[in-house]
Amino acid sequence: MTHDAPPAAGTSLLRESARRTLELEQQAIAALAGRLDDAFDHACELILACRGRVVVTGMGKSGHVAGKIAATLASTGTPAFFVHPGEASHGDLGMITPGDVVLALSNSGETAEVTALLPLLKRMGTPLISMTGRPGSTLARHAEAHLDAGVEREACPLDLAPTSSTTAALALGDALAVALLESRGFTAEEFALSHPGGSLGKRLLLRVADLMHEGSRLPRVDLGSPLRDALLEITRQGLGFTCVVDADGRLAGVYTDGDLRRTLDQHSDLSGLTVDDVMTRPGKRVAPDTLAAEAVRIMEDNRISALAVVDADGRPVGALHMHDLLASGVI
């Protein structure tokens, strides 16, 4: 027995549904700005004065949003973590201390698992910030600061599935995190410290000294060396260049694969040449504490693939190749 496949829904109808959803959620977020009041300031003040951590809690879809808000706070300079309200009533309340601040999410403001925590929080003296869609709800009335995340209606055509309400709560949580971030003067470098494994963390944390070749892996020859010695050093170290140092050990210049091509183009006989005759003076260089991302920019701007790394006296202490930057994930 065969069945005919049901006709595909009209693409225009699918897009219209998607547009309607996005417009309703956009309206929900836009309405939040007009409702920001002194309670938002007070919520920020409670968190800024907090000696412990922000404990974020919520049930169901609000719980998922609460987890994301906790992660955003933690990554932007406000120590925070999520506690499931159901588990809190069965032992995890021990994770909360009087020095913490609790941020509780519930669209109705009446979620049983969340409101069950109220007497316990009051007994501990832990400040409570609530985020609900009903300013007159139990959770809102018992909070030191209430953030109104109410929406006119859900994007769901049945007005049932949490859609606009969760989007609004998520956006309000972002607004809270960013306000705290700016108040603390949180920097990109501090952000990188909590994201060491990400590309941003690598760009802001890794220094040339972390990646450079040093010691016996540093290619170098002395001024006056036969060109043949420079070529052998380049081949031996495999970095595509060598440092050329003067009698005091300071960098006088570099000789690169590109210099070799120019040498071959300009000289028919290489036997009598010294590295001094054909090297690039003074040669691009960086300090060991230079950000690896800055080294990338120097290489790209000058269309080179390697850099000499010198100390404060101009003496080579390392060599950096573009491959090292690629391998580290900086680029």
Side-chain angles (χ1 to χ4, degrees), residues 12-328:
S12 60
L13 294 178
L14 295 173
R15 288 199 299 265
E16 181 57 33
S17 175
R19 288 193 185 99
R20 184 173 60 252
T21 298
L22 294 174
E23 287 170 1
L24 286 170
E25 297 199 352
Q26 183 182 39
Q27 292 166 13
I29 293 174
L32 295 175
R35 294 202 298 270
L36 292 177
D37 54 17
D38 291 344
F40 184 87
D41 293 343
H42 187 41
C44 291
E45 290 164 358
L46 287 171
I47 294 174
L48 290 169
C50 175
R51 301 187 311 277
R53 300 184 180 187
V54 178
V55 182
V56 194
T57 189
M59 194 73 185
K61 302 297 187 296
S62 292
H64 295 308
V65 174
K68 191 275 179 183
I69 291 174
T72 300
L73 288 169
S75 69
T76 53
T78 299
F81 63 95
F82 172 78
V83 169
H84 191 286
E87 298 295 338
S89 295
H90 295 276
D92 281 4
L93 195 67
M95 300 168 70
I96 306 174
T97 72
D100 296 329
V101 170
V102 172
L103 171 60
L105 279 67
S106 168
N107 187 41
S108 68
E110 303 294 344
T111 305
E113 293 86 350
V114 178
T115 57
L117 304 179
L118 291 175
L120 304 171
L121 295 176
K122 294 296 183 183
R123 187 179 305 168
M124 286 193 298
T126 302
L128 172 66
I129 301 168
S130 64
M131 185 186 296
T132 81
R134 295 175 55 200
S137 63
T138 300
L139 193 60
R141 287 186 288 104
H142 287 84
E144 278 77 6
H146 173 250
L147 303 179
D148 185 355
V151 298
E152 185 175 341
R153 59 162 296 162
E154 298 289 1
C156 165
L158 303 176
D159 197 22
L160 295 174
T163 46
S164 296
S165 60
T166 50
T167 299
L170 190 63
L172 190 53
D174 285 343
L176 183 66
V178 172
L180 293 167
L181 176 156
E182 292 183 347
S183 180
R184 296 182 193 279
F186 192 71
T187 66
E189 287 73 17
E190 289 172 308
F191 183 87
L193 288 173
S194 60
H195 297 75
S199 58
L200 176 63
K202 290 174 181 176
R203 289 198 301 272
L204 293 175
L205 294 176
L206 278 180
R207 307 263 172 187
V208 167
D210 300 320
L211 303 174
M212 69 184 188
H213 300 269
E214 54 189 326
S216 62
R217 291 286 289 121
L218 170 63
R220 57 182 290 167
V221 295
D222 295 328
L223 273 174
S225 298
L227 180 57
R228 178 177 180 276
D229 291 353
L231 297 178
L232 288 173
E233 182 70 355
I234 292 174
T235 302
R236 184 173 71 87
Q237 299 292 11
L239 297 178
F241 87 112
T242 184
C243 299
V244 183
V245 299
D246 62 21
D248 294 323
R250 293 186 174 87
L251 184 68
V254 296
Y255 191 70
T256 71
D257 287 341
D259 291 325
L260 174 58
R261 287 190 289 271
R262 284 185 287 274
T263 301
L264 293 171
D265 183 57
Q266 297 169 6
H267 300 269
S268 58
D269 182 10
L270 307 184
S271 60
L273 293 177
T274 65
V275 72
D276 312 39
D277 300 323
V278 289
M279 71 180 187
T280 297
R281 299 173 185 264
K284 296 299 178 182
R285 60 193 71 194
V286 292
D289 62 350
T290 303
L291 284 173
E294 174 65 11
V296 172
R297 186 193 64 78
I298 294 172
M299 289 184 186
E300 291 177 340
D301 288 350
N302 293 278
R303 298 184 178 181
I304 57 178
S305 60
L307 284 168
V309 185
V310 300
D311 63 16
D313 295 323
R315 293 183 171 87
V317 293
L320 183 69
H321 195 276
M322 184 68 77
H323 290 165
D324 304 316
L325 298 163
L326 285 166
S328 70

